[in-house]
Amino acid sequence: MPELVRERVRGVAGNPATPPELLVRMLDHRTAGQAVLIFRADLPDEVCRAAAAHPDVPIRLSLADSWHATPEQRALLVDDPHPTVRTALAAGPDVFRATPDPLPEPTYARLAADPVRRVREAVADSWQCPASVRAGLVDDPDPVVRISAYARWADPPEEVTDRLLADPDPDVRRAAARRACRRRPALLAEVLDAAWSDGWHLAAVAVDAPLDRASAERLARHDDTGVRAAVAENPHLPRDLVDELVVDPDPTVRLRLSLRPGLTEAERAAVDYRVRPTDRLSPARWVLDRRDDPDALDEAVGSAHVGLRRSAAYSPHLRPDQVARLAADEDFAVRLLLCENHDGVPGDVLLATYLEAQVITAGMLVGRPNFPRVGLARLADSADPRARMLVRHDPEAPADLIDRLSRDPDAHVRSSVAADPRLHLDRLAELLDDPATAGAAARNRNLPAELIERILAEAGILGAAATSPTGEV
């Protein structure tokens, strides 16, 4: 299929004016059908029923992975004959920086009883699996499933821990001990011995386990930088070992040490660490653990350490005074994280941060509750194409301005307004012939029904028999 035709089909798939019966027909063309399930924001029930019963595995797989489908619509796949589809259903859609709504509890229960191990493992590995279902998975006949079910259980009962610590499989026993040693310090030495050559597992324990003196020394002097960096943040680390790590030769260790709880501002400043504006920094564990308690975040919000301020900006529960302080922060990453996580950020801060951002997630800020709409037309003459692209969000922007931007020298600006219903139909038809704007123009809800049908006919979708292969994935 030529690229221009493919872009038009993708646009029609996401067009709110495309009738459900045409969307169902599009399912019989793999590219078009997957576009429906990926780009369609409001999937009609009849489309999802047709997708769930479709003979083409990739179409059913696209429904399982669809972040637009409701949990009930995705749950139609619970008895799918292909384990790849059931596994994808259990795992849930991969939604960037968001958590999809959970499946109905009976659906998780059915998947947890699936005869295929990888399906049950996907259920066990899902944070959204209900505790009632997880309670059965920790007794699964497969040790891999038991490990995953326990690892993702937010607060497992003590009797479950006891049972898995005595499990006949040594891998299950080790996994249970790694988790349980936070509540049962007597297990720590055994856990450290078992994981001593595995830096990843060792670091996961080192960051917050209650350490006795011998264990603390072993971890603080470990050859693996990641282990020393993890234990540097451990609140149970003795003070003399903290002082050792202050002068650790590795800058990553010193940075994580500077973020640990309990240090004064002067002590943090005395650590030789560096955070550049472009550095990506994992948030301090103790700050994240308190993100639901804004009063406990005052220290981090007011800290001179940019890493702590960035960590505090992850909290969606900050008080208005804390939001105001971080919104004026000199560090761009602090402001960006605040905008991404807090609904109370003022509109002018959201707009300024969007215009300053050079990251792929910047467009997400436009969807924040306080992002300004009215008045964006003033940006039509900006030298920045990303600013001109915002004009389409202004409900008061006149039609002639939208038309002018549809002729902008920047292809991204032209595409940004191609779906705008204020465009005249003659101009819309012209945009359908521009490869840079064809997809967006085909999503325009004012696209006439006959033009939608013609696009699908030219793609061989209307009036053609289904040709999608039905092979397995």
Side-chain angles (χ1 to χ4, degrees):
M1 183 187 294
E3 185 60 27
L4 181 62
V5 176
R6 185 180 293 110
E7 284 300 311
R8 289 172 177 167
V9 169
R10 288 172 178 165
V12 166
N15 193 319
T18 304
E21 58 269 22
L22 290 186
L23 297 174
V24 171
R25 294 285 297 275
M26 292 175 74
L27 295 178
D28 285 334
H29 189 288
R30 179 180 293 185
T31 299
Q34 290 177 308
V36 168
L37 297 165
I38 293 171
F39 298 117
R40 186 78 181 189
D42 52 342
L43 282 167
D45 285 342
E46 56 262 52
V47 173
C48 292
R49 286 194 294 269
H54 201 277
D56 193 345
V57 172
I59 292 295
R60 306 199 308 272
L61 192 58
S62 293
L63 176 60
D65 287 333
S66 174
W67 56 88
H68 293 307
T70 67
E72 291 73 22
Q73 289 171 334
R74 290 190 290 114
L76 294 168
L77 297 165
V78 68
D79 292 319
D80 192 275
H82 202 290
T84 298
V85 176
R86 301 197 304 275
T87 301
L89 173 65
D94 184 10
V95 184
F96 183 69
R97 294 186 69 89
T99 302
D101 292 332
L103 295 166
E105 186 167 335
T107 302
Y108 283 114
R110 293 267 289 282
L111 293 168
D114 198 278
V116 177
R117 188 201 80 178
R118 59 189 169 114
V119 177
R120 303 196 307 276
E121 185 181 358
V123 179
D125 209 39
S126 171
W127 290 104
Q128 296 177 308
C129 176
S132 60
V133 175
R134 195 173 295 281
L137 287 168
V138 293
D139 291 325
D140 191 272
D142 193 286
V144 173
V145 177
R146 299 200 296 276
I147 290 172
S148 293
Y150 184 68
R152 295 290 186 268
W153 200 332
D155 189 19
E158 291 301 315
E159 60 269 22
V160 171
T161 299
D162 289 337
R163 196 160 69 246
L164 294 183
L165 287 172
D167 194 275
D169 188 281
D171 288 338
V172 176
R173 296 197 301 271
R174 281 192 291 267
R178 277 197 301 271
R179 181 128 192 249
C181 70
R182 291 167 176 81
R183 292 184 177 180
R184 305 182 185 190
L187 294 171
L188 185 59
E190 173 189 339
V191 168
L192 296 184
D193 287 340
W196 195 249
S197 60
D198 186 336
W200 188 88
H201 278 131
L202 208 56
V205 172
V207 71
D208 62 355
L211 303 175
D212 56 41
R213 178 69 197 188
S215 298
E217 288 182 359
R218 292 179 71 191
L219 293 168
R221 295 165 184 167
H222 197 278
D223 289 340
D224 190 311
T225 297
V227 173
R228 300 200 308 278
V231 79
E233 288 192 76
N234 191 307
H236 307 287
L237 190 68
R239 182 64 203 213
D240 63 308
L241 295 178
V242 171
D243 293 338
E244 278 189 26
L245 294 177
V246 165
V247 293
D248 192 277
D250 191 283
T252 302
V253 176
R254 299 195 303 272
L255 173 59
R256 300 316 300 182
L257 188 285
S258 71
L259 293 167
R260 65 175 284 108
L263 296 183
T264 66
E265 284 291 289
E267 288 171 333
R268 294 190 199 284
V271 181
D272 180 19
Y273 72 88
R274 182 184 181 189
V275 180
R276 294 170 297 188
T278 56
D279 285 345
R280 297 181 66 86
L281 184 63
S282 297
R285 178 73 170 264
W286 69 272
V287 178
L288 278 190
D289 287 345
R290 302 176 188 180
R291 62 184 176 272
D292 294 340
D293 182 1
D295 292 341
L297 297 181
D298 278 331
E299 177 185 347
V301 170
S303 177
H305 197 307
V306 67
L308 291 183
R309 303 198 306 277
R310 290 185 187 182
S311 301
Y314 280 91
S315 171
H317 304 294
L318 295 170
R319 302 189 308 264
D321 62 301
Q322 293 171 324
V323 171
R325 181 163 186 164
L326 294 179
D329 200 280
E330 62 183 15
D331 182 70
F332 172 73
V334 170
R335 302 194 302 275
L336 177 62
L337 288 166
L338 180 71
C339 290
E340 289 177 341
N341 290 286
H342 203 288
D343 289 344
V345 178
D348 59 332
V349 176
L350 285 166
L351 178 58
T353 304
Y354 166 85
L355 293 174
E356 185 181 352
Q358 298 297 321
V359 295
I360 194 171
T361 58
M364 297 175 65
L365 300 185
V366 181
R368 301 299 292 167
N370 289 345
F371 197 90
R373 309 282 178 190
V374 175
L376 292 176
R378 70 184 185 278
L379 300 174
D381 295 316
S382 171
D384 183 356
R386 293 173 65 251
R388 301 198 299 276
M389 288 168 60
L390 291 176
V391 173
R392 70 183 175 95
H393 296 288
D394 188 341
E396 298 180 0
D400 60 341
L401 180 57
I402 298 299
D403 181 87
R404 192 188 100 193
L405 291 173
S406 76
R407 307 171 195 276
D408 194 274
D410 188 282
H412 294 95
V413 177
R414 298 197 305 274
S415 180
S416 73
V417 299
D420 197 300
R422 286 167 286 195
L423 283 173
H424 192 276
L425 290 181
D426 290 343
R427 179 57 185 153
L428 184 57
E430 294 172 350
L431 292 169
L432 281 170
D433 290 327
D434 180 352
T437 59
R443 285 196 303 273
N444 195 305
R445 66 171 182 261
N446 285 343
L447 199 67
E450 60 269 20
L451 195 47
I452 290 176
E453 293 181 2
R454 191 168 78 200
I455 288 172
L456 297 181
E458 289 176 350
I461 296 171
L462 289 188
T467 59
S468 298
T470 59
E472 295 184 347
V473 176

